[in-house]
């Protein structure tokens, strides 16, 4: 089958066109020409609709939910409608222009960023233009270090200056002999019909994707994150129409976080730090109170009587308090078994031995848990567990 004519190469703004059916089966449609970009080269497929006149004279319209291309260049439209048009009949295609605009901006932004990184010795090894995130994976050029944070920021600034200057973006097919003069940062993946996307004389890249007609259509480029990745860097970015909703969502999230504190979002870091410190202080105060309580309980026990602390009860479900009491009581009497009251995990139980007694804390705990469905364990010196509460 002959390769499908790609109308979007010449006319990336064309949002409707007619074409002729070359092949059709349920859910799949091949036409002589299309305005829809098939997934490839890191760019997502376009979406749109196709309509045609059925045998009964009614117009059938189907959404196109995917577009794929074969190695021979035959483009297949994936339809959601069960019907298909007759071979040789005419159909009308429409394009989801909003989606295309978003893709063009991300893809052109990627070319610009890759060139800006290239000029700073960062080599683009792969790119992904996803539905909600776009990434460029970089490696350092031979003999150079990985791009610094400052170099990445400078690249972002350089690209945005080109966006504001509204530089023309031209696509054309070139003969292989012309390539050397262009100083490409990456070699073409095809040997004939080489399409070059040029941003003035700033960047020339072999690419079959859909692009802006001038850099102002990119809108703006924002680098959202830089991570270490496979010995290089992964740069996440957003461009154009993707940026306002993300900025809005960030602002809303910040406002929501700041609201309970009745403060402005920019005062949040200081408030958070204060809170963190207060939580730390409260935790330390709780620990001190537990120790004081434990000492008080232990003080009421006969010192050195190894049986005296065998059945201690503490009115708390917090195992940290039980641990403190068990340690203090064992310290005074030599051996302590402390049971709490029911909490989320059940009734806590802590067994503690100090000194050189013959008791085994773990054995004692297991005996008390067995038959009551409890779980836990530890060492001969210290063991703890929980007994489940059976609903009455
Ligand atoms: Zn490209």
């Amino acid at each position: 089958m002959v390769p499908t004519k790609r109308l979007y190469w010449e006319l990336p703004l064309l949002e409707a066109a007619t074409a002729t059916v070359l092949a059709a089966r349920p859910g799949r449609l091949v036409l002589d020409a299309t305005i829809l970009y098939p997934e490839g080269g890191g760019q997502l497929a376009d979406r749109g609709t196709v309509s045609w006149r059925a045998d009964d004279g009614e117009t059938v319209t189907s959404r196109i939910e995917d577009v794929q291309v074969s190695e021979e260049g035959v483009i297949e439209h994936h339809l959601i409608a069960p019907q298909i048009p007759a071979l040789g009949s005419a159909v009308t295609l429409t394009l989801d222009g909003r989606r295309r605009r978003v893709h063009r901006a991300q893809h052109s932004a990627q070319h610009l960023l890759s060139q800006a990184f290239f000029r700073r010795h960062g080599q683009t090894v792969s790119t992904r233009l996803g539905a909600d995130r776009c990434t460029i994976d970089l490696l350092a050029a031979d003999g150079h270090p990985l791009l610094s944070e400052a170099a990445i920021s400078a690249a972002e600034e350089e690209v945005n200056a080109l966006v504001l200057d509204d530089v023309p973006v031209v696509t054309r097919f070139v003969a292989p002999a012309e390539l050397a003069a262009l100083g490409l940062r990456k070699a073409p993946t095809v040997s004939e019909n080489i399409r070059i996307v040029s941003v003035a004389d700033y960047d020339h890249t072999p690419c079959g994707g859909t692009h802006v007609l001038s850099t102002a259509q990119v809108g703006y480029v924002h680098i959202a994150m830089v991570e270490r990745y496979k010995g290089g860097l992964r740069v996440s970015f957003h461009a154009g129409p993707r940026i306002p909703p993300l900025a809005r969502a960030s602002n809303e999230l910040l406002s929501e976080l700041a609201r309970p504190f009745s403060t402005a979002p920019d005062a949040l870091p200081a408030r958070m730090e204060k809170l963190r410190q207060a939580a730390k202080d409260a935790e330390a105060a709780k620990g001190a109170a537990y120790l004081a309580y434990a000492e008080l309980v232990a003080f009421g026990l006969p010192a050195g009587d190894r049986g005296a602390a065998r059945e201690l009860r503490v009115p708390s479900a917090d195992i940290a308090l039980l641990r403190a009491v068990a340690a203090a009581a064992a310290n005074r009497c030599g051996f302590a078994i402390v049971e709490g009251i029911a909490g989320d995990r059940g009734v806590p139980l802590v067994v503690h031995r100090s000194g050189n007694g013959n008791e085994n804390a773990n054995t004692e705990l297991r005996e008390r848990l067995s038959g009551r469905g409890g779980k836990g364990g530890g060492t001969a010196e210290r063991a703890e567990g929980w007994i489940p509460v059976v609903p009455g």
Side-chain angles (χ1 to χ4, degrees), residues 85-152:
L87 286 185
S89 65
V91 298
T92 302
L93 289 167
T94 69
L95 171 75
D96 178 344
R98 197 190 168 277
R99 182 178 164 92
R100 163 70 67 75
R101 235 169 268 129
V102 170
H103 291 174
R104 286 163 64 222
Q106 314 309 307
H107 199 153
S108 296
Q110 179 263 306
H111 281 207
L112 287 163
L113 283 171
S114 284
Q115 176 62 243
F117 296 145
F118 181 72
R119 290 172 181 228
R120 290 162 177 81
H121 311 292
Q123 206 89 43
T124 296
V125 286
S126 70
T127 61
R128 196 180 149 268
L129 306 170
D132 45 29
R133 189 161 96 121
C134 295
T135 56
I136 299 174
D137 292 347
L138 293 174
L139 284 179
D142 283 348
H144 291 275
L146 277 179
L147 261 67
S148 66
E149 218 173 286
I152 302 254

Side-chain angles (χ1 to χ4, degrees), residues 252-276:
E252 276 165 19
L253 178 65
L254 277 175
S255 301
E256 199 178 311
L257 286 173
R259 201 169 301 128
F261 300 106
S262 309
T263 186
D266 60 357
L268 263 184
R271 289 300 292 265
M272 292 296 198
E273 178 51 29
K274 245 184 171 169
L275 262 187
R276 205 185 59 81

Side-chain angles (χ1 to χ4, degrees), residues 37 41 43 107-108 110-111 127 129 185-186 197 205-211:
Y37 180 81
Q43 187 179 323
H107 199 153
S108 296
Q110 179 263 306
H111 281 207
T127 61
L129 306 170
R185 58 179 169 77
K186 82 174 219 203
V197 179
T205 302
C207 178
T210 55
H211 284 275

Side-chain angles (χ1 to χ4, degrees), residues 183-255:
L184 301 181
R185 58 179 169 77
K186 82 174 219 203
T189 52
V190 290
S191 52
E192 50 187 15
N193 294 327
I194 301 165
R195 183 174 182 259
I196 298 290
V197 179
S198 299
V199 181
D201 55 1
Y202 181 75
D203 179 62
H204 304 282
T205 302
C207 178
T210 55
H211 284 275
V212 298
L213 301 179
S214 72
T215 53
Q217 292 179 350
V218 170
Y220 197 78
V221 180
H222 172 62
I223 290 178
M225 189 164 52
V226 181
E227 306 156 275
R228 291 260 172 181
Y229 183 75
K230 288 188 178 172
L233 298 173
R234 169 164 281 182
V235 179
S236 301
F237 70 94
H238 306 292
R242 288 247 174 103
I243 296 176
L246 288 169
R248 246 192 319 274
S250 294
N251 284 341
E252 276 165 19
L253 178 65
L254 277 175
S255 301

Side-chain angles (χ1 to χ4, degrees), residues 2 4 29 31 78 108 136 169 210 243 252 303 316 367-368:
V2 292
T4 311
L29 184 62
L31 305 168
H78 294 209
S108 296
I136 299 174
V169 176
T210 55
I243 296 176
E252 276 165 19
S316 170
E367 271 170 20
R368 285 172 182 260

